[in-house]
Amino acid sequence: MSAANATAGSPPLTVDALRCEGLTKAFQGVHAVNGAAFEVPEGKITALIGPNGAGKTTVVNILSGAMSSDSGRVFLGDTEITNWPAYKIARQGLLRTFQLSRELGGLTVLENLLAAPAVQAGDSLVNVLFRPGLVRRQERENAERALELLEVYRLYRHRDTRARELSGGQKKLLEIARAVMASPKLLLLDEPMAGVNPALIEVIGEYILDLKRSGVTVMMIEHNLGIVEKICDHVVVLAEGRTLATGSMSELRSNTAVVSAYLGEVINAGAAH
Amino acid sequence: MSLFWLSVGFGLVTASVLSIASIGLSLQFGITNYVNFAYGDFMALGAFFTYVFNNQVLHFNIWIAMVIGSLLVGAFAVIVNRYLLGPFARRFQTTHYVLIVTFGLSLVMLNLIYSIWGADVRFYSMPIASALSIGPLRLTVTQLVVIGIAALMIGSIHLVLQRTRLGKSMRAMSDNTTLAMTSGIDTKRITTLTWFLSGSMAGLAGTVLGISEGNLTPASGELFLFVIFAAVILGGIGSIYGAMGGAIIIGLATEISAAFIDPAYKLDIAFIALIITLLIRPNGLIARPGTA
Amino acid sequence: MLYYVFTLVFFLFDYFILAMGLNIQYGATGILNFAYIGFVAVGAYMTGVAGMPSNITGQHYILGLGLPFPLNTLFGGLSAMAMAVIVALITLRRLRTDYLAIVLISLSLVLYDFCNNFVPLFNGADGLYNVPAPLTKALGLNVNSFIVVFACVTGVVALILWFVMARVTNAPLGRSLRAIRDDSTVAGALGKDVFRMQLKSMLIGSFYAGIGGGLLIQFGGSFNPTAWLPGETFVVFAVLIVGGAGNNIGMFVGALLVETLLIHLPAFLPEIPGHPGLIEYIDSALVGIVLMVMLWTRPQGIVPERVRRAVTFGVPDRPEIDARELGSAEVLGAPVAAATEGAK
Ligand SMILES: Nc1ncnc2c1ncn2[C@@H]1O[C@H](COP(=O)(O)OP(=O)(O)OP(=O)(O)O)[C@@H](O)[C@H]1O
Ligand SMILES: [Mg+2]
């Protein structure tokens, strides 16, 4: 990421995987998102930071189609996906996780992963009834891949456990593994490390770097600026529903306007970690 | 006198019964956030409790029996909440379970009412009422009393909600239960009182329905429940004032249409109103945030 | 005696079919279909009129196609599916659980009320009668042997439908439905078209409802509107909850315990003199009480939903990974091994 990118007016040097402009969303008069606009560069890890209640989760909800925006536009690559239903966006390769883990509680851990690939032969009644061989073959392939992922994410041992019985940290891992199983091009992670022990934070950081290495574009919401500094290439600062600044972590810290206006304490506190 | 004005008269009576019943259902929904599918059977229970005091023991005057019958259903509702619905609602995350339980409760209550009082059509013992003309309307004294009771109930519920601490707590709880709890409202007490009010209103509505229809059967409350649903959804579920408005619209609409189509299709008219409301304004005519 | 036993056998299998249909809707997909009996009624009525010739006088009914068994029954199943499409389009997309329950239960009552009143089309409260008993002519059956044969036919139909349902619920389709049941937002975020899936579930379930209804009307020979009051839906829910929501075998167990033993066996008891219908009333109340007790003490039912283990997907078990994970459980800081190959 070049420093020029932070200067207003100069063209971005990288391709954008995702771009949004002028997003707004109000809940009964509360403007949760109020004109947010930013880009997510392809092949990089972007952090979306900002104080509690800044509207980060709401932005992710809008980008992933879980909520419709009041106004604004979203582009995934060259395709405008503004207010598409969630399932269509997911089928374009944009996957997301949830801040509070939302496991499919009645399904086993393995089944949570098996449910992830959006298009499966066995979702069609005709195939189920008349092409059982095809369905079974695809199931076995998916199961093999899912078990490999579970091995990586250290959940193999719990493959036959119903997901509602997992611990909080294990649910966090499952949340990521499930999204990865869906073969994302772009992954939006909502606080993937919140509430897990420090050792596991390191591990999850490694997972995210691995994803980047394998070509996945990642955007993650994160409050821990130490982590952001360590693994993210690009940062978007959101405050009161607006994009306050974008750039690398060091650029942001030298951006006195941003620091004095809003993030002074936060960034310095983060740097102290 | 024209058929139209005759049906308006009936419509006002139905609207009166309906508004009492709808307020009771809405009060409870606002606080607990699930629908009580046994509400119609609470009504039937009230009608039969009144019948007992009116015809079987003590032989009270119908209006006195009505008050006793209603209060007894209120007490019954408190017990049902305490030992059945409350525990289910607290234990399970989804509302599915408690909805199924109220559905089951309705079956149990209906069949117990049948077991005790049988399937025969019964009548309250009350004086034959004379008819009065009021403008273009012609109503019996009994019908006027029914309308008066409804007006009295609407007025007092309004006062309770706006002026008393209980009412303010109830409104706070129906807006946001957790917030109400953290701001020091004794939610348990309010819930109990709400069930008592809701049950009493159901009992009252059941009796008044029996009086206005001239007879009572165990299943009449259950059938009426679906008209209540139409009124409540029209007004926006959980909204008390919406329920009153919805009751008046549905009451008039069903009776006036009955005069011109066929009274047998009253329910269908109410149902069509319900579907149209849901398609056009799913939050009800008076939109209330966070309820749809 | 034989007559009674096979009547019970018939109801066992028929309610097994009905419960499987509700099970895919509620047990698998989480759709609280309080109008289920309405779909059964549509299936029953349409089977009746599809099977009856057009020239019976004294009754008002539509169609009168004179279709032989099992085509008439199939027609009933398809009709129930058609109704499911309409209902789903109006309600599923826009309503949250309690609104949906209200609308569906109201729909169920209004259907009853409409049939009960509208003589020109549905013959009003008289319903249909003299619905042809299938196979009697072809096999030369009398009243008693018809019961035996038809109970067995129903058993065969139930087994076929069970085989199909087991396939569906074990397939990715069934898993997607269960994903929607557990959290429809997550299912959507994973690319599942939630509405389409719910519609599929409604359609499959309604087909079962229609077939079960079609068999019922042919067994009894008549269609009486009062048999389809909303409370009847509750009986199917009781079968489902007692048997175990989400488990197809559970539906058989539930049908056996609730429908056969709890509901139909007491019907053979003699009436208590002076109290007509008392036994039936108490029995119906008992069904409600049994369901509540079950829901409280054992909400998963007698035969709980299966855990679909990894080995059932045809992959080898690798206990060495288990052991490694167990061993390293406390050293989570260790570097991550291979890159996440699964990711694109
Ligand atoms: N569904 C909703 N209904 C009403 N208000 C909402 C809803 N979702 C979010 N809000 C409000 O919108 C604002 C932004 O919320 P959001 O969850 O997007 O913040 P956030 O940046 O993710 O915060 P955090 O870091 O605490 O997760 C908050 O004031 C919140 O109360
Ligand atoms: Mg958030």
Side-chain angles (χ1 to χ4, degrees):
Chain A
M1 171 89 352
S2 106
N5 204 21
T7 331
S10 48
L13 299 180
T14 43
V15 190
D16 296 324
L18 181 78
R19 182 160 61 85
C20 62
E21 47 189 55
L23 291 184
T24 64
K25 177 83 187 177
F27 298 106
Q28 297 142 44
V30 180
H31 291 277
V33 181
N34 203 354
F38 56 85
E39 289 92 36
V40 179
E42 173 125 23
K44 302 265 159 86
I45 300 177
T46 301
L48 182 62
I49 65 170
N52 291 117
K56 304 179 297 292
T57 297
T58 310
V59 164
V60 165
N61 282 339
I62 293 171
L63 297 179
S64 64
M67 262 177 201
S68 60
S69 60
D70 296 341
S71 66
R73 305 171 77 183
V74 183
F75 296 88
L76 185 65
D78 297 329
T79 323
E80 173 159 9
I81 57 164
T82 313
N83 292 343
W84 279 20
Y87 79 92
K88 279 195 181 155
I89 295 179
R91 288 178 185 197
Q92 294 286 317
L94 188 158
L95 271 291
R96 59 87 55 97
T97 65
F98 294 86
Q99 179 168 2
L100 301 173
S101 310
R102 294 177 80 155
E103 73 287 352
L104 301 168
L107 273 56
T108 66
V109 168
L110 175 63
E111 281 183 303
N112 264 263
L113 265 64
L114 288 176
V119 184
Q120 302 186 25
D123 271 340
S124 137
L125 188 58
V126 175
N127 286 341
V128 169
L129 295 183
F130 301 112
R131 302 174 71 185
L134 172 73
V135 173
R136 209 174 308 122
R137 189 152 17 91
Q138 206 183 63
E139 278 282 86
R140 207 185 47 239
E141 285 164 16
N142 281 340
E144 279 164 4
R145 223 189 96 207
L147 288 171
E148 277 168 25
L149 269 179
L150 287 180
E151 186 184 346
V152 173
Y153 282 83
R154 299 162 193 221
L155 289 167
Y156 186 90
R157 181 160 63 99
H158 301 289
R159 60 196 176 281
D160 292 334
T161 311
R162 281 195 209 273
R164 73 167 76 92
E165 290 157 18
L166 293 180
S167 77
Q170 290 165 339
K171 285 179 183 173
K172 278 280 190 213
L173 288 172
L174 176 62
E175 188 83 16
I176 304 173
R178 190 176 60 199
V180 171
M181 179 72 190
S183 309
K185 291 195 195 98
L186 174 64
L187 192 55
L188 309 182
L189 302 169
D190 194 348
E191 304 200 17
M193 299 161 183
V196 300
N197 79 54
L200 195 53
I201 287 182
E202 294 278 314
V203 177
I204 295 177
E206 284 300 321
Y207 290 148
I208 296 172
L209 286 171
D210 274 345
L211 284 167
K212 174 183 160 186
R213 268 173 232 133
S214 57
V216 180
T217 306
V218 178
M219 182 176 89
M220 57 188 278
I221 299 178
E222 185 52 63
H223 285 292
N224 182 339
L225 296 181
I227 301 281
V228 171
E229 179 123 51
K230 209 156 146 196
I231 68 173
C232 297
D233 310 293
H234 184 67
V235 179
V236 176
V237 186
L238 207 67
E240 295 176 349
R242 262 183 279 266
T243 316
L244 196 65
T246 59
S248 71
M249 201 61 211
S250 53
E251 283 159 10
L252 288 184
R253 202 175 285 115
S254 61
N255 183 340
T256 46
V258 174
V259 174
S260 60
Y262 210 85
L263 285 165
E265 302 141 52
V266 186
I267 289 194
N268 292 333
H273 273 284
Chain B
M1 199 181 85
S2 75
L3 188 61
F4 176 76
W5 286 111
L6 192 70
S7 61
V8 169
F10 278 126
L12 284 179
V13 177
T14 304
S16 302
V17 182
L18 203 47
S19 45
I20 301 172
S22 306
I23 294 170
L25 187 75
S26 264
L27 276 177
Q28 171 262 324
F29 182 89
I31 299 296
T32 59
N33 230 334
Y34 59 83
V35 184
N36 175 12
F37 283 105
Y39 192 79
D41 305 283
F42 281 49
M43 286 176 63
L45 193 64
F48 278 93
F49 278 164
T50 303
Y51 179 78
V52 168
F53 289 103
N54 178 227
N55 290 49
Q56 293 185 321
V57 296
L58 303 174
H59 300 278
F60 284 131
N61 170 290
I62 177 74
W63 307 113
I64 297 172
M66 176 182 79
V67 172
I68 301 175
S70 307
L71 295 178
L72 281 178
V73 182
F76 176 78
V78 169
I79 294 171
V80 163
N81 172 55
R82 178 83 195 262
Y83 295 104
L84 184 71
L85 300 180
F88 269 103
R90 277 194 298 276
R91 175 163 162 196
F92 296 104
Q93 295 283 324
T94 66
T95 50
H96 286 181
Y97 289 96
V98 76
L99 289 180
I100 294 175
V101 171
T102 65
F103 193 4
L105 178 64
S106 130
L107 192 79
V108 173
M109 285 180 67
L110 178 71
N111 282 288
L112 289 182
I113 292 172
Y114 269 124
S115 313
I116 298 169
W117 286 286
D120 306 337
V121 178
R122 293 176 187 256
F123 307 90
Y124 290 125
S125 63
M126 50 193 303
I128 294 164
S130 52
L132 300 172
S133 287
I134 305 155
L137 299 176
R138 200 170 161 76
L139 295 165
T140 65
V141 175
T142 314
Q143 287 176 321
L144 281 174
V145 174
V146 168
I147 296 174
I149 291 172
L152 190 74
M153 290 315 294
I154 291 176
S156 27
I157 289 290
H158 171 73
L159 285 181
V160 167
L161 285 178
Q162 299 300 332
R163 297 288 162 79
T164 64
R165 263 189 57 201
L166 167 67
K168 283 173 191 156
S169 309
M170 282 171 69
R171 282 188 295 145
M173 259 186 85
S174 94
D175 283 343
N176 188 332
T177 310
T178 28
L179 193 68
M181 200 147 28
T182 49
S183 54
I185 292 173
D186 183 351
T187 52
K188 209 168 167 193
R189 198 178 126 253
I190 303 294
T191 308
T192 304
L193 281 171
T194 305
W195 274 101
F196 180 75
L197 268 180
S198 169
S200 307
M201 303 279 283
L204 180 63
T207 306
V208 170
L209 179 69
I211 292 173
S212 76
E213 301 220 315
N215 63 61
L216 55 153
T217 62
S220 58
E222 233 170 60
L223 286 177
F224 199 69
L225 178 62
F226 298 92
V227 189
I228 303 174
F229 281 155
V232 165
I233 285 185
L234 195 70
I237 197 164
S239 146
I240 309 300
Y241 297 102
M244 297 174 189
I248 292 171
I249 296 174
I250 293 286
L252 287 173
T254 49
E255 293 299 342
I256 293 175
S257 68
F260 294 98
I261 306 172
D262 181 339
Y265 299 118
K266 272 187 209 175
L267 262 181
D268 309 60
I269 298 288
F271 183 69
I272 290 169
L274 182 151
I275 291 292
I276 293 176
T277 315
L278 284 172
L279 292 182
I280 303 172
R281 283 191 73 97
N283 289 351
L285 293 184
I286 307 165
R288 217 181 71 110
T291 43
Chain C
M1 182 62 204
L2 208 62
Y3 177 91
Y4 290 126
V5 170
F6 278 88
T7 301
L8 290 182
V9 169
F10 168 77
F11 279 105
L12 168 63
F13 282 116
D14 197 66
Y15 270 73
F16 178 35
I17 297 172
L18 293 183
M20 280 194 289
L22 184 63
N23 190 33
I24 191 166
Q25 295 178 348
Y26 175 68
T29 324
I31 303 168
L32 204 54
N33 185 0
F34 277 175
Y36 190 72
I37 209 68
F39 296 89
V40 182
V42 167
Y45 182 83
M46 294 307 265
T47 300
V49 295
M52 287 159 78
S54 57
N55 55 4
I56 298 184
T57 49
Q59 298 187 52
H60 296 275
Y61 56 91
I62 54 173
L63 297 175
L65 302 177
L67 287 177
F69 182 85
L71 291 182
N72 56 350
T73 317
L74 211 54
F75 185 82
L78 295 175
S79 307
M81 288 170 91
M83 174 162 128
V85 174
I86 301 170
V87 172
L89 284 178
I90 296 179
T91 57
L92 270 186
R93 224 189 253 276
R94 38 182 99 229
L95 302 181
R96 65 172 208 193
T97 304
D98 34 8
Y99 274 64
L100 186 68
I102 289 179
V103 173
L104 288 175
I105 201 170
S106 305
L107 169 76
S108 169
L109 183 82
V110 166
L111 268 182
Y112 153 76
D113 189 61
F114 192 70
C115 290
N116 203 21
N117 287 312
F118 200 58
V119 177
L121 219 57
F122 302 112
N123 215 29
D126 290 340
L128 291 177
Y129 40 91
N130 295 333
V131 175
L135 307 172
T136 23
K137 281 231 182 66
L139 303 180
L141 303 174
N142 64 22
V143 181
N144 280 320
S145 55
F146 167 73
I147 299 286
V148 175
V149 170
F150 200 66
C152 295
V153 169
T154 303
V156 172
V157 173
L159 284 179
I160 296 171
L161 288 178
W162 170 72
F163 179 78
V164 170
M165 188 59 91
R167 263 235 173 125
V168 170
T169 45
N170 284 325
L173 176 56
R175 182 172 57 229
S176 296
L177 297 181
R178 282 177 282 126
I180 288 168
R181 171 198 68 192
D182 286 355
D183 192 329
S184 61
T185 308
V186 169
L190 292 173
K192 309 288 171 202
D193 185 344
V194 172
F195 174 72
R196 214 184 128 94
M197 287 285 178
Q198 286 178 327
L199 183 61
K200 272 188 204 180
S201 162
M202 281 295 281
L203 284 175
I204 300 171
S206 307
F207 181 72
Y208 279 60
I211 297 286
L215 293 170
L216 264 179
I217 192 177
Q218 294 175 88
F219 184 78
S222 62
F223 177 94
N224 181 351
T226 50
W228 316 102
L229 277 165
E232 291 301 312
T233 296
F234 187 79
V235 174
V236 192
F237 265 99
V239 169
L240 184 147
I241 302 268
V242 169
N247 191 309
N248 292 320
I249 300 292
M251 298 308 102
F252 186 80
V253 176
L256 180 68
L257 294 179
V258 176
E259 178 63 19
T260 314
L261 298 185
L262 203 56
I263 296 182
H264 274 282
L265 214 49
F268 296 129
L269 291 177
E271 282 284 353
I272 298 171
H275 298 276
L278 184 61
I279 288 183
E280 202 182 316
Y281 297 142
I282 292 180
D283 196 39
S284 298
L286 200 61
V287 174
I289 292 168
V290 164
L291 177 127
M292 291 177 200
V293 170
M294 193 70 191
L295 216 43
W296 186 258
T297 54
R298 200 177 156 85
Q300 71 275 34
I302 291 176
V303 194
E305 187 171 271
R306 269 177 50 210
V307 174
R308 291 168 172 84
R309 297 188 179 285
V311 285
T312 60
F313 294 97
V315 289
D317 222 15
R318 292 159 67 199
E320 75 277 7
I321 307 176
D322 284 348
R324 198 163 70 221
E325 262 181 26
L326 266 173
S328 70
E330 300 311 315
V331 253
L332 275 173
V336 184
T340 37
E341 251 140 66
K344 192 187 138 3

